[in-house]
Amino acid sequence: MTNLLYKTKGDKVIWTIVIFLSLVSLLAVYSATGSLAYRERGGHTEYYLLKQLSVLVMGLLIIYFAHRVNYTIYSRVAQIGFLISIPLLVYTLAFGSHINDASRWIRLPIINLTFQTSDVAKLALFMYVSRQLSRLQNVIHDFRKGFLPIIIPVGVICILIMPANMSTALLLGASCMILFFIGRVPIRFLAAMIAAGVVMIMLMFLIAKLPGMEMRAKTWSKRIDSFMNDDHTEVPYQVQQANIAIAGGGVLGKGPGNSTQRNFLPHAYSDYIYATIIEEYGLFGAFLILASYMVLLLRSIRIYRKCPYAFGAFLAVGLSVTLVIQALTNMAVNVHLFPVTGVTLPLVSMGGSSVIFTSLAIGIILSVARNVEEMEGKQAEKDRLEKVIAAQNEAAA
């Protein structure tokens, strides 16, 4: 154990945030899955606690081993991951498991485990885009040579994700926009990207008007109409229950395990876990969660500014941006600032593949941080030796 801790490098603040969010996840999931345990597991409430604990432990191990890998290796992995993610998304649309009226999951045979292929695609896309941005900095202002090689992969992945998971596709596109802006992509190209995205979304909504077409677009329209409608009788059930939970939390909350709305709130352990946290820990707990993600972003920006190589800098800030945007979206949905989506709270919501891929993303960020830390250490040692040599020369003179 001591040897393991000695080999743990990278940003200590990010490590602290990971541990904190993992502990919050255990408490919140254990509290929020009481009704689910009685309904699905005959009252064995410890089942989901142990399941989440095992997933989080696996996630921590993934973070540890991923951060020990030199981040430059992820540049090579990015190409393979991107090429694999495309057929995976196509397969998911055609043959994926249908859960909650959407085909987002692939069920692995024998072990009977499901995972969202969009999680694989998001991680692979950000690594690939970071690689392309770093390679094309000299021609980034050229539309054909600089912009097309990075926008085409983003467009392909977003289009393949969009039919089953509109919210994830939009968040992925927004995160890529931020990364493009940081990567010095001209504003006129970003404006064209936004216009193309709006046209694509309008086309997807028009599908809902066609008879016999997929019903998923109608679900999107209904959610947006419910969000925009001022008539409180049209507020979705889950939004009503989330509002009650938030109102009951107050400043300090009802205390751990004392939530009442967890018994009525759909997906209180995943999509609406933030509302459950607010009910039990109040606005104080809600602020700590929000602050944790913002500190994660700030520390990643610090890594970005210190990393001397473009790929590592883009990789760290890009992965952190997508995690923070996902977290902010989940919180906004829980407090009814955004329409209802299926976005989870990273590292906190109950899950398997989502926690694993989030952990891998954090591990890659910490890999960049470790590299920056080692370079700073070498530079500090070099400066120290130069001072010693200078002092010796001065004494000899």
Side-chain angles (χ1 to χ4, degrees), residues 210-275:
L210 300 177
M213 298 302 290
E214 281 288 334
M215 300 297 291
R216 194 65 191 167
K218 293 186 178 180
T219 302
W220 306 330
S221 299
K222 184 178 179 180
R223 288 177 174 178
I224 294 176
D225 289 341
S226 298
F227 177 75
M228 300 299 294
N229 197 334
D230 292 331
D231 185 359
H232 293 289
T233 60
E234 297 296 327
V235 175
Y237 173 78
Q238 61 265 46
V239 175
Q240 294 177 0
Q241 299 305 316
N243 290 340
I244 295 172
I246 293 169
V251 177
L252 298 178
K254 298 179 178 178
N258 292 326
S259 170
T260 54
Q261 293 309 118
R262 64 188 177 186
N263 298 318
F264 307 99
L265 188 59
H267 305 291
Y269 45 83
S270 56
D271 297 357
Y272 279 91
I273 198 167
Y274 191 60

Side-chain angles (χ1 to χ4, degrees), residues 330-347:
N330 175 273
M331 297 178 199
V333 169
N334 275 247
V335 300
H336 199 37
L337 291 178
F338 276 6
V340 176
T341 66
V343 177
T344 57
L345 195 58
L347 273 185

Side-chain angles (χ1 to χ4, degrees), residues 379-394:
Q379 185 61 44
E381 181 63 19
K382 181 180 178 181
D383 292 342
R384 188 188 68 81
L385 290 175
E386 288 178 352
K387 288 181 180 179
V388 170
I389 293 172
Q392 290 175 348
N393 292 337
E394 184 177 349

Side-chain angles (χ1 to χ4, degrees), residues 248-310:
V251 177
L252 298 178
K254 298 179 178 178
N258 292 326
S259 170
T260 54
Q261 293 309 118
R262 64 188 177 186
N263 298 318
F264 307 99
L265 188 59
H267 305 291
Y269 45 83
S270 56
D271 297 357
Y272 279 91
I273 198 167
Y274 191 60
T276 306
I277 291 172
I278 295 176
E279 184 180 10
E280 295 189 349
Y281 301 95
L283 294 178
F284 177 73
F287 173 77
L288 284 181
I289 300 296
L290 174 61
S292 297
Y293 289 108
M294 299 313 297
V295 171
L296 170 64
L297 178 60
L298 291 175
R299 298 301 292 187
S300 298
I301 292 174
R302 179 177 176 271
I303 296 169
Y304 162 80
R305 295 178 64 182
K306 288 191 171 187
C307 185
Y309 303 109

Side-chain angles (χ1 to χ4, degrees), residues 22-34 36 45 48-53 56 262 268-270 273 276-277 280 347-351:
S22 298
L23 293 175
V24 170
S25 176
L26 285 177
L27 293 172
V29 168
Y30 182 57
S31 175
T33 52
L36 182 66
T45 55
Y48 292 104
L49 173 65
L50 295 176
K51 180 181 178 181
Q52 186 69 359
L53 176 61
L56 290 172
R262 64 188 177 186
Y269 45 83
S270 56
I273 198 167
T276 306
I277 291 172
E280 295 189 349
L347 273 185
V348 177
S349 295
M350 185 176 77

Side-chain angles (χ1 to χ4, degrees), residues 20-81:
F20 171 71
L21 291 178
S22 298
L23 293 175
V24 170
S25 176
L26 285 177
L27 293 172
V29 168
Y30 182 57
S31 175
T33 52
S35 297
L36 182 66
Y38 277 99
R39 187 169 63 249
E40 302 289 340
R41 296 291 168 180
H44 295 287
T45 55
E46 296 81 8
Y47 172 82
Y48 292 104
L49 173 65
L50 295 176
K51 180 181 178 181
Q52 186 69 359
L53 176 61
S54 63
V55 171
L56 290 172
V57 169
M58 185 184 301
L60 288 173
L61 290 174
I62 289 172
I63 292 174
Y64 174 79
F65 288 111
H67 105 287
R68 295 292 303 173
V69 176
N70 191 310
Y71 75 87
T72 56
I73 294 178
Y74 295 115
S75 177
R76 307 168 199 166
V77 175
Q79 291 179 293
I80 301 173

